């Protein structure tokens, strides 16, 4: 339908035509096309838009105008093509998306119409028309029939294009005769009487009446009385004269007469065919029926032919055979040309798909690999035996298996195996596809090392390194091969060489993105998050939401307790649940678990841990906390072990760290996350001096926390306060640092000082604020160390009350040991034994619990058994740990001199032990007590207090108590 109020005037159209003629790229062609649409002339709009878009192909508004014109002509396919060009460039084009949705509905493409109309509604939520179309698309319901094609109307203010038409007159009768073709008509201007349109006009239809069409303005005045040229009677031919008489006969001897036909037959070839020989007719029929001369409309009838001897083949027959021979040659040549052209186009398409495949994997992101797979599939459909295409398939699947760990029966690793079997040894060295095949095989082998035995894995790794070294000797600028070489060195445990190789692949403006991410990951492993964050940020500028970069940055923040909320938000927004590969799913759950631990969401952290372990091996049920080896990343399993350690599950932590494996033939270099776990394990075993030595070689928040706790255990409280302050500067909300800081402050302050009181009050406040039981345990340990047994027992009891997954006590073994020590000092051996059993059940390697166990056995009258415990403990700990070693030696000396078959040599050995530890044991009265057992005069000789006549727990020996582990 044409709106008469929107019709332009002839003058306006003339001005727009003039602008477009002067500058086809001017936006005026859009106004001119709109004017033609308002006049009901979409074909003219198409012509104008084609001219304008040829000069300005990036004009999206012009393409929408062209699509509207095609839609008015019900040319849905052409309209869809133009609209797709628009929406691919401009994702916010409301008119383009709305019209594209309507066109898809017109073509009954409901599946694609739904997302297009949904996006159009998001862009224009107030449009009822879009909403109505969206409802129909979702219901698979077609639209109402489209309006009929518009009828052209004259410009505003004019009728019949502003010309006066003469009244029709009755034409005079004409003489019968063959109708003659109407004369060519002058172009009638469409826009106005003064100027012709830019659009291409269709040829005028044949007039159905005898009325003369309206002439152009510059033609002569129409005379209704004149007879039109096409209606005038044809001029009769001149009369024929009398037929001339034949000339007199001449001598025809030796002269062959030439017969000239009076009129050339209309179908000379057919006449010649009818006069040809039987053998010639059979030959032609064989050609025609055999399909070699399949010419439409040509058929050789089975009739009797004139085969009289006096008939000879003339030029008609020769021309027919020449024509058929030419058709045959042209058919063969045309078929060959078509085959050559189609093969050329197919090769060009395959080369384009291969080039697009290489471009899609440059960033190493998961979406790029998906695109690359689509391109390789499209190329394989054209030629499934193209070796370069097959090599690209191996490359993208191998890299995908290494980077994203998608392990499934139909995953990329298995797809690469199938292609490798198909290729065999068809690709020579340095031939097309050899480079892609090398990259794919190396990545595939590296992704499977964790599933092989150590010896087999070591041999496979050596093969990979050798092949990469050979290739890099000739192609040292190949960054993908260089990066894989660095990955192989890291897998061999050569951390220093691997990092240098990866850094070389990552350096420069065109550095490999995955190498940059690995470089940042290495900084995170070393505890240098400040150096890793700028690299992650640069990568995310080049590749927005790159999954590996997002995971690396979030993991570093979460495990250090730095910007934890931002890290958790990023992990939530950058990924879609259920649509991530296996390795991304595992690392995402791991990072979320670490972040939830920092924010005290302990229940959610446990769920994340179990999800991460299950993603590492799909065979594990979520209710099973025991990790199994499936995802062979040392970074993954080292952090799984750390989470178990933080939660207090030391047995699971020790099992998890076993899966951190290296496959080189040489001893691996120190790996900081593993060193951190060893330091944490030493601290949990009651060996703070060893933990401090290891943690001092590592940087980062976690290493500083271990050093803080080790300094507290070694009674070096100023150093502990300094380490805790450094942690709070990096991570102000780190709860562990706050608790350890107040504990060290309380222990390091003077008696009855305000600082000690403030620290104790701060720990009480933290115990009420935080879900974890760490503040209560720290308060109890400080009271016990300061000699306040009553307050220490109360605090320890609170630290063990109402423990749950959401309110954990990760050092419950220490709390139980503290209660056992308080009970032992009070002479309550049974209570001490019960708490000691609980402590050893939680952590059977805790040094102070095992040392107290030897004391309990000795106090129970079993010195030989106590000596066995002490010998095993000294063997396991290589002499004990700091002050704990001196206390253990004191117990050993007492057991040696109190057993029934003690010899003078035992007493001499015990005497030497007391001389070595007399200044290290607190209180010194204990040294005097044991020295008096050896010789009553020995305390004075050693310079230690002389004990009272009776034992600390009374003169009578204690009753027998149950034996303890």
């Amino acid at each position: 339908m044409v709106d008469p109020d929107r019709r332009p005037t002839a003058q306006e159209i003339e001005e727009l035509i003039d602008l477009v003629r002067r500058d086809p790229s001017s936006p005026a062609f859009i106004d001119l096309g709109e004017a033609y649409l308002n006049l009901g002339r979409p074909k003219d709009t198409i012509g104008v838009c084609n001219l304008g878009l040829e000069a300005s192909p990036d004009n999206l508004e012009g393409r929408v105008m062209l699509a509207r014109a095609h839609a008015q002509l019900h040319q849905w396919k052409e309209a869809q093509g133009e609209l797709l060009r628009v929406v691919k460039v401009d994702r916010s084009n409301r008119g383009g998306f709305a019209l594209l949705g309507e066109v898809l509905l017109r073509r009954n493409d409901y599946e694609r119409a739904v997302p297009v109309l949904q996006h159009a509604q998001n862009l224009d939520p107030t449009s009822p028309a879009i909403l109505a179309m969206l409802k129909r698309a979702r219901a698979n319901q077609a639209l109402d029939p489209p309006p009929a094609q518009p009828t052209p109307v004259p410009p505003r203010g004019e009728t019949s294009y502003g010309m006066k038409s003469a009244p029709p007159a009755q034409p005079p009768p004409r003489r019968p005769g063959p109708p003659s073709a109407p004369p060519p008509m002058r172009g009638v201007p469409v826009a106005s009487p003064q100027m012709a349109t830019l659009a291409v006009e269709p040829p005028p239809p044949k007039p159905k009446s005898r009325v003369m069409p309206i002439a152009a303005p510059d033609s002569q005045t129409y005379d209704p009385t004149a007879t039109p040229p096409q209606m005038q009677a044809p001029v009769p031919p001149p009369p024929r004269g009398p037929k001339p008489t034949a000339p007199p006969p001449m001598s025809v001897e030796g002269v062959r007469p030439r017969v000239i036909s009076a009129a050339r037959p209309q179908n000379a070839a057919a006449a010649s065919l009818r006069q040809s020989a039987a053998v010639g007719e059979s030959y032609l029929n064989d050609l025609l029926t055999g399909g070699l001369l399949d010419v439409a409309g040509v058929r050789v009838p089975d009739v009797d032919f004139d085969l009289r001897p006096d008939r000879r083949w003339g030029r008609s027959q020769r021309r027919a055979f020449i024509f058929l021979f030419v058709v045959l040659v042209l058919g063969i040549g045309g078929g060959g040309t078509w085959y050559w052209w189609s093969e050329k186009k197919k090769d060009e398409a395959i080369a384009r798909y291969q080039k697009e495949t290489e471009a899609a994997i440059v960033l190493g992101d998961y979406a790029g690999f998906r695109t690359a797979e689509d391109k390789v599939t499209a190329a394989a459909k054209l030629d499934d035996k193209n070796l370069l295409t097959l090599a690209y398939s191996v490359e993208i699947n191998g890299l995908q298996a290494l980077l994203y760990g998608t392990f499934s029966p139909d995953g990329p690793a298995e797809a690469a195996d199938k292609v490798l079997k198909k290729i065999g040894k068809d690709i020579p060295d340095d031939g097309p596809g050899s480079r892609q095949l090398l990259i794919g095989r190396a990545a595939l082998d590296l992704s499977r090392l964790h599933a092989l035995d150590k010896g087999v894995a070591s041999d496979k790794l050596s093969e990979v390194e050798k092949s990469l070294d050979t290739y890099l000797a000739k192609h040292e600028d190949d960054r993908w091969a260089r990066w894989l070489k660095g990955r192989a060195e890291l897998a061999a445990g050569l951390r220093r060489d691997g990092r240098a190789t990866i850094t070389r692949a990552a350096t420069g403006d065109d550095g490999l993105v995955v190498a940059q991410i690995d470089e940042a990951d290495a900084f995170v492993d070393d505890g240098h998050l400040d150096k890793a964050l700028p690299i992650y940020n640069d990568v995310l500028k080049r590749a927005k939401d790159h999954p590996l970069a997002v995971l690396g940055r979030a993991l570093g923040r979460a495990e250090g307790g730095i910007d934890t909320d931002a890290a958790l938000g990023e992990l939530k927004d950058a990924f879609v649940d259920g649509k991530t590969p296996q390795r991304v799913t595992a690392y995402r759950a791991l990072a979320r678990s670490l972040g939830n631990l920092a924010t005290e969401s302990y229940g959610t952290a446990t769920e994340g841990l179990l999800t991460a372990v299950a993603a590492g091996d799909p065979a594990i049920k979520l209710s099973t906390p025991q990790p199994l080896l499936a995802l062979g990343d040392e970074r993954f399993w080292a952090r799984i072990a750390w989470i178990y350690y933080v939660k207090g599950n030391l047995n699971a932590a020790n099992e998890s760290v076993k899966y951190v494996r290296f496959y080189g033939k040489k001893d691996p270099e120190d790996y900081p996350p593993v060193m951190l776990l060893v330091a944490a394990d030493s601290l949990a075993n009651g060996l703070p001096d060893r933990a401090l030595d290891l943690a001092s070689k590592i940087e980062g928040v976690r290493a500083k926390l271990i050093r803080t706790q080790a300094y507290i255990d070694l009674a070096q409280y100023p150093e502990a306060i300094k380490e805790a302050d450094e942690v709070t500067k990096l991570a102000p909300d780190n709860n562990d640092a706050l608790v350890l800081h107040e504990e060290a402050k309380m222990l390091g302050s003077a008696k009855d000082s305000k600082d000690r009181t403030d620290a104790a009050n701060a720990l009480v406040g933290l115990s009420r604020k935080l879900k974890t039981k760490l503040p209560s345990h720290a308060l109890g340990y400080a009271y016990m160390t300061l000699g306040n047994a009553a307050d220490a027992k109360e605090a320890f009891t609170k630290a063990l009350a109402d423990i749950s997954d959401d309110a954990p006590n990760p050092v419950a073994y220490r709390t139980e040991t503290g209660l056992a020590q308080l009970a032992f000092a009070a002479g309550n051996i049974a209570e001490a034994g019960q708490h000691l059993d609980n402590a050893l059940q939680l952590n059977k390697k805790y040094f102070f619990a095992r040392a107290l166990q030897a004391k309990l056995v000795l106090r129970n009258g079993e010195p030989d058994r106590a000596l066995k415990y002490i010998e095993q403990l000294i063997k396991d700990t290589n002499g004990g740990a700091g002050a704990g070693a001196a206390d253990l030696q004191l117990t050993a000396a007492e057991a040696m001199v109190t057993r029934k078959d003690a010899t003078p040599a035992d007493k001499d050995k015990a005497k030497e032990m007391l001389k070595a530890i007399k200044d290290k044991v607190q209180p010194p009265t204990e040294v005097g007590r044991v020295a008096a057992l050896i010789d009553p005069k020995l305390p004075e000789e050693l310079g230690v207090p002389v004990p009272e006549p009776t034992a600390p727990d009374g003169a009578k020996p204690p009753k027998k108590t149950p034996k303890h582990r």
Side-chain angles (χ1 to χ4, degrees), residues 853-863 866 890-892 894-895 898:
Q853 183 185 36
K855 283 186 179 183
L856 280 174
V857 172
L858 179 61
R859 184 65 58 88
N860 206 32
E862 300 181 72
L890 179 64
T891 305
E894 183 180 358
T898 56

Side-chain angles (χ1 to χ4, degrees), residues 55-270:
S56 179
D58 296 333
N59 194 311
L60 301 182
E61 189 177 357
R63 293 203 179 276
V64 174
M65 176 72 66
L66 180 57
R68 288 174 54 197
H70 282 303
Q72 287 193 10
L73 293 174
H74 301 174
Q75 297 173 356
W76 312 118
K77 183 176 180 181
E78 291 79 0
Q80 178 178 336
E82 296 298 331
L83 291 171
L84 286 176
R85 296 182 181 180
V86 173
V87 299
K88 285 182 179 179
V89 176
D90 186 4
R91 307 292 293 180
S92 61
N93 195 303
R94 293 185 290 182
F97 276 98
L99 186 55
L100 178 58
E102 180 181 358
V103 169
L104 291 173
L105 278 180
R106 294 293 184 194
R107 302 192 71 190
N108 296 330
D109 193 350
Y110 306 111
E111 182 178 357
R112 294 181 177 87
V114 170
V116 171
L117 289 172
Q118 182 65 61
H119 187 67
Q121 191 200 20
N122 294 338
L123 296 175
D124 189 5
T126 61
S127 174
I130 296 177
L131 181 60
M133 288 191 292
L134 181 58
K135 290 181 179 179
R136 288 188 176 235
R138 288 173 175 169
N140 290 347
Q141 182 179 358
L143 293 176
D144 296 334
Q149 297 184 10
T151 303
V153 297
R156 183 157 46 89
E158 297 188 17
T159 305
S160 300
Y161 303 97
M163 293 180 290
K164 297 180 181 180
S165 174
Q170 190 71 21
R174 64 175 184 173
R175 296 173 58 185
S180 59
M185 297 177 61
R186 295 177 63 106
V188 178
V190 182
S192 67
Q194 288 79 16
M195 185 170 293
T197 179
L198 284 175
V200 179
E201 301 177 15
K206 291 184 178 181
K208 296 184 179 180
S209 65
R210 305 167 94 181
V211 180
M212 183 65 178
I214 301 174
D218 55 351
S219 64
Q220 298 179 357
T221 306
Y222 168 64
D223 185 4
T225 61
T227 303
Q230 70 271 25
M231 299 181 184
Q232 294 178 0
V235 180
R240 299 178 60 183
K243 187 174 182 180
T245 308
M250 298 176 60
S251 175
V252 294
E253 183 177 358
V255 178
R256 186 174 179 178
R258 180 181 178 185
V259 180
I260 300 177
S261 59
R264 185 180 181 87
Q266 244 180 355
N267 192 349

Side-chain angles (χ1 to χ4, degrees), residues 564-594:
T564 307
D565 293 334
L568 290 175
E570 191 174 30
L571 291 171
K572 180 179 180 182
D573 298 337
F575 301 96
V576 179
D577 291 333
K579 294 186 179 181
T580 55
Q582 184 175 351
R583 189 168 183 265
V584 172
T585 300
Y587 271 89
R588 183 191 179 199
L590 176 65
R592 293 176 75 174
S593 181
L594 287 167

Side-chain angles (χ1 to χ4, degrees), residues 562-839:
I562 302 173
D563 294 334
T564 307
D565 293 334
L568 290 175
E570 191 174 30
L571 291 171
K572 180 179 180 182
D573 298 337
F575 301 96
V576 179
D577 291 333
K579 294 186 179 181
T580 55
Q582 184 175 351
R583 189 168 183 265
V584 172
T585 300
Y587 271 89
R588 183 191 179 199
L590 176 65
R592 293 176 75 174
S593 181
L594 287 167
N596 287 321
L597 283 177
T599 57
E600 284 206 301
S601 300
Y602 297 109
T604 307
T606 301
E607 294 176 2
L609 173 63
L610 296 177
T611 302
V613 173
D617 189 346
I620 302 177
K621 298 181 180 179
L622 291 181
S623 59
T624 306
Q626 181 67 31
L628 297 177
L629 183 62
L631 190 66
D633 292 4
E634 65 276 4
R635 301 186 76 235
F636 177 79
W637 291 112
R639 284 164 174 83
I640 290 290
W642 176 260
I643 295 176
Y644 279 125
Y645 166 75
V646 172
K647 290 173 62 65
N649 192 343
L650 301 178
N651 293 331
N654 291 329
E655 290 296 325
S656 299
V657 78
K658 294 179 181 178
Y659 298 115
V660 180
R661 298 170 56 187
F662 298 98
Y663 311 97
K665 296 184 180 299
K666 301 179 181 179
D667 292 336
E669 299 174 7
D670 291 337
Y671 182 47
V674 175
M675 294 174 63
L676 188 71
L677 288 169
V678 175
D681 186 64
S682 298
L683 192 63
N685 292 342
L687 308 175
D689 51 345
R690 297 184 188 178
L692 182 61
D693 181 59
L694 288 170
S696 298
K697 302 175 182 178
I698 314 170
E699 296 297 329
V701 172
R702 297 185 294 171
K704 292 180 182 297
L705 290 174
I706 291 178
R707 292 200 293 267
T708 304
Q709 183 64 66
Y711 280 131
I712 292 175
D713 290 348
L714 294 172
Q716 300 178 20
Y717 306 120
E719 291 80 356
I721 293 175
K722 181 180 177 182
E723 291 287 346
D725 288 339
E726 292 180 1
V727 173
T728 53
K729 288 180 182 178
L730 296 174
D733 298 329
N734 192 295
N735 297 323
D736 293 344
L738 296 175
V739 172
L740 293 176
H741 180 275
E742 298 303 328
E743 182 181 4
K745 182 179 177 182
M746 183 177 175
L747 289 169
S749 301
K751 184 178 181 182
D752 298 331
S753 66
K754 184 176 182 300
D755 290 339
R756 178 177 292 185
T757 304
D758 292 341
N761 292 333
L763 287 174
V764 173
L766 288 172
S767 65
R768 296 171 180 172
K769 175 184 176 182
L770 303 179
K771 296 180 181 179
T772 179
K773 303 294 184 178
L774 280 176
S776 297
H777 167 80
L779 184 63
Y781 180 83
Y783 278 135
M784 182 182 69
T785 305
L786 296 173
N788 190 344
D791 290 340
K793 184 175 182 179
E794 181 182 0
F796 279 147
T797 303
K798 289 181 179 180
L800 294 175
D802 301 326
I803 293 179
S804 65
D805 192 37
D806 202 39
N809 182 358
V811 292
Y813 64 94
R814 286 179 174 242
T815 308
E816 293 282 4
T817 303
L819 288 172
Q821 289 175 342
L822 292 174
F824 180 80
N828 193 343
I829 304 302
E831 181 181 350
Q834 183 62 46
H835 287 298
L836 188 60
D837 283 342
N838 295 337

Side-chain angles (χ1 to χ4, degrees), residues 280-295:
E281 297 302 329
S282 300
Y283 174 68
L284 288 178
N285 282 327
D286 291 341
L287 290 179
L288 289 172
T289 56
L292 297 179
L293 290 175
D294 190 7
V295 183

Side-chain angles (χ1 to χ4, degrees), residues 865-877:
R865 186 180 175 197
L867 282 175
K868 290 182 180 179
Y869 283 155
I870 293 172
E871 289 174 1
Q872 185 63 41
L873 181 56
I874 292 175
K875 180 180 178 181
D876 293 342
T877 60

